[in-house]
Amino acid sequence: MTSKILETDSTGLGTPPGPVRPVARRRPPGAPTALGLGSAMIFLSLIVLIPLAAVLWKSAEHGPGFFWKSVTTPDAWAALKLTVVASIIVALINLVMGTLIAWVLVRDSFPGKAVLDTLIDLPFALPTIVAGLVLLELYGADSPLGINLAYTRVGVAVALLFVTLPFVVRTVQPVLLELDRDMEQAAASLGAGNWTIFRRIILPNLLPAMVSGTALAFTRSIAEFGSTVLISGNLPFKTQVAAVQIFGQIENDNTASAAAVSTALLVVAFVVLVTLDLVQRWGSRRG
Amino acid sequence: MAIEARHINKAFGATSVLQDVSVEVPSGSLTALLGPSGGGKSTLLRVIAGLEQPDSGTVLIAGADVTRLAPQRRNVGFVFQHYAAFKHMTVFDNIAFGLQIRKRPKNEIHKRVHELLELVHLDQFAKRYPAQLSGGQRQRMALARALAVEPEVLLLDEPFGALDAQVRKELRAWLRRLHDDVHVTTVFVTHDQEEAIEVADTIVVLAGGRVEQSGSPHEVYDNPANEFVMRFLGPVTELDGRLVRPHDIELTAEPEPGSAEATVERVVRLGFEVRVEMRLGDQDAWAQVTRGLAERLRLAPGETVHVRPGPDARTLAVV
Ligand SMILES: Nc1ncnc2c1ncn2[C@@H]1O[C@H](COP(=O)(O)OP(=O)(O)OP(=O)(O)O)[C@@H](O)[C@H]1O
Ligand SMILES: [Mg+2]
């Protein structure tokens, strides 16, 4: 069945129907190539669309009433709320700190800069469960630093911050590198002070990257499992995040409820991504 | 003097870029900083604007010592070679920027920006973004942006460098006219000697971080201070150990006092002018003559002619 869908998909988008065109086809430059668009669509379908559709399908199986009940059970609702609120906070912290770190990496020179630049990506390389373990060692009950965050919501946030750090840094950094320094000097010679230059020249040019980095951090954060599972202690109503709650449901053979909560997460992510996109379009139109 | 730069030295790390450079720009003048690539022209301009700090030396603008003053407070308009357009702002907002910083009333800003848009012929583009303009239009926008704050001096770093030959020529003539209208003291950088001669009333030749010569276009062209300036300002050829401009060479059929015998190797017609390539003993030389003369002398490869510097020719001994 799947292959059938894919076939119609690819032919539908790829070769246009009707008689075969002459050999020397003229394609306006920039028009999607049949091969390129076709492969992209097949790939997206296999990797993204079909799995997502399957989740939605599963959650809708027992009707909207069941979906609503699954999402609003006290523990699911608490987990969703914690996840979304913590993710918003984490995304905002990332927005500020990620931009700051990108700034320092691009504009300042200091010993060890290259090392720091490499370190930024390490949270991606570490299996998240290991990250969680390390965080528990460092900020747990036996913390060598004297900070005990185990089984607290702050601990959850710290774990989320750890795994989402690279997003904003790595989206803002290249834009900042490419930013035309002449623009800033032009503004300076027109009388703009440092703060005005930052606010009116640099920030508007960085904003799209900052927003997409933040969106990535947010969406990654609402789905995070491994790094939070240890430090949070998974106390329902207190520190249990949605992904862990979903995992519990699956273990209890409650896949339909798991799918429902997952769908709720997907909807939140989707709404956030669309909103940010709209905000960005609105912002770029205003200039 | 609108600008005085005195004994400016500047090095980037170990490379010295400006060495004891002193330049004076009279008020209301249109001065060209002319020199080969890497000669330090941009650096000097940036030192004047405060975008670069000199290692030693003083910069005076309108008589006041501004050496330690931030670029924000020098009242200098700077136009960058690659426009440095604020690409997230419309043409209107680009030009209004300096006025907005100065917190001028909205209606005044509006009026002034529209005057400037008219001046640079961009009135119908006020709402566009820089990306929607051609290179020449962007450069004119950058110029209007710099002029908006009524700067004491206007500094242009290769304003036409990134444009094609045709647009360059148009903008050059336009800049000259604009300067005649607006009268703001202007310094512009170029490495095109033709552009400098055509547009500027003063030329400063800067090479290897030193001022080689400064003066009117006429002075630097006709009385070059040294071989470098002579070669840089126009075509030269060597005749009997001296540098001569090819159009200053006199060709005759018969020997004249001081002339030398040469064999014509090639005759190239370039419209009205004719380029005659010759062999003098073991040296090559060339002369630029009119078509009329070439025809009268029946210049053709293999023929013998007699050459000498013309009576008004400026020559320079080759060292
Ligand atoms: N920020 C910098 N750091 C190090 N070296 C620099 C810097 N800016 C300029 N230089 C060096 O200084 C020298 C002069 O540069 P400058 O840009 O003033 O030359 P220019 O005369 O404007 O040349 P062009 O016509 O190519 O623009 C060059 O050798 C350049 O490599
Ligand atoms: Mg330069």
Side-chain angles (χ1 to χ4, degrees), chain B residues 9 12 21 33 52 91 97 126 138 156 172 201 216 224 228 244 260 312 317:
Chain B
N9 283 288
F12 290 108
V21 169
L33 266 185
E52 213 79 73
V91 171
F97 187 81
R138 263 180 247 176
L156 316 173
R172 239 189 234 183
D201 43 42
S216 69
F228 174 82
V244 196
D312 302 322

Side-chain angles (χ1 to χ4, degrees), chain B residues 38 40-43 81 157-158 189:
Chain B
K41 307 180 297 291
S42 299
T43 307
Q81 181 169 352
D157 192 356
E158 304 215 27
V189 163

